[in-house]
Amino acid sequence: MEAEAIHAELEAAQVVDHAIFDGVRAIPGLMDTVVEQVDANLTQMNAIRGFEEISQEQLHKFGELGHALRSGICMIGCERLALLCTKIEMFGREGEHQNPEALIWCFDTYMNSCLQEAMEALEALLGDQ
C-alpha cells in the first residue's frame, strides 16, 4: 500500500462535484434516502471494525459495504468520499488487491474526515437553495 499515493489521490478529488449535485438536488426524498443509506452502511462498517480480528468473510463484507456506500454518495456528487469507498471496496475484494491492513488504514485514517467534509459541503450547497 502506498499511503502517500492514496493521500494525494484523495486530496486531488473534489469534496463535492457541484454539477452532479445541482442535477439531483431537487429530486424529492433523495437526500433523506442517501443519508439513511450512508448511516446504515457506516453502522455495519463500524460494527465490523470493532472486532479485534477481522475474518476473510468480514473483510469481504466490509468491501461490499464500501461499494454500497459509494453507490449512494456518487449520486449526489461526493467525489472524495466516493474515491475513499472505492479504495475500501478494492482492498476488501477477494483476489490480488485484497489488503486488510490497507482497508483498515484507509477507513481509520480518512472515513471520518471525508464524511465530515462531504456533509459540510452538502449543507452549504443546500443552504444556497
Side-chain angles (χ1 to χ4, degrees), residues 61-81:
K61 176 68 174 170
F62 207 96
E64 288 177 345
L65 289 166
H67 173 81
L69 183 57
R70 180 176 54 89
S71 296
I73 58 177
C74 277
M75 290 188 331
I76 58 172
C78 295
E79 188 176 297
R80 185 174 294 165
L81 185 55

Side-chain angles (χ1 to χ4, degrees), residues 55-67:
S55 69
Q56 287 295 110
E57 183 178 317
Q58 291 167 324
L59 186 65
H60 182 70
K61 176 68 174 170
F62 207 96
E64 288 177 345
L65 289 166
H67 173 81

Side-chain angles (χ1 to χ4, degrees), residues 2 9-11 23 29 35 61 64 72 79 82 90 94-95 101 108 115 119-120:
E2 295 183 29
E9 260 188 279
L10 290 171
E11 286 298 311
V35 167
K61 176 68 174 170
E64 288 177 345
E79 188 176 297
M90 181 184 70
E94 293 177 23
E101 294 82 17
D108 288 353
L115 187 60
M119 292 300 109
E120 289 173 2

Side-chain angles (χ1 to χ4, degrees), residues 16-58:
V16 174
D17 182 326
H18 294 222
I20 292 173
F21 182 76
D22 287 342
V24 299
R25 75 187 313 164
I27 297 173
L30 178 64
M31 289 302 293
D32 291 337
T33 301
V34 171
V35 167
E36 287 173 16
Q37 182 185 46
V38 167
D39 186 50
N41 288 318
L42 280 176
T43 297
Q44 291 182 64
M45 291 171 98
N46 281 315
I48 293 170
R49 180 61 188 100
F51 292 113
E52 266 187 54
E53 292 191 27
I54 298 175
S55 69
Q56 287 295 110
E57 183 178 317
Q58 291 167 324

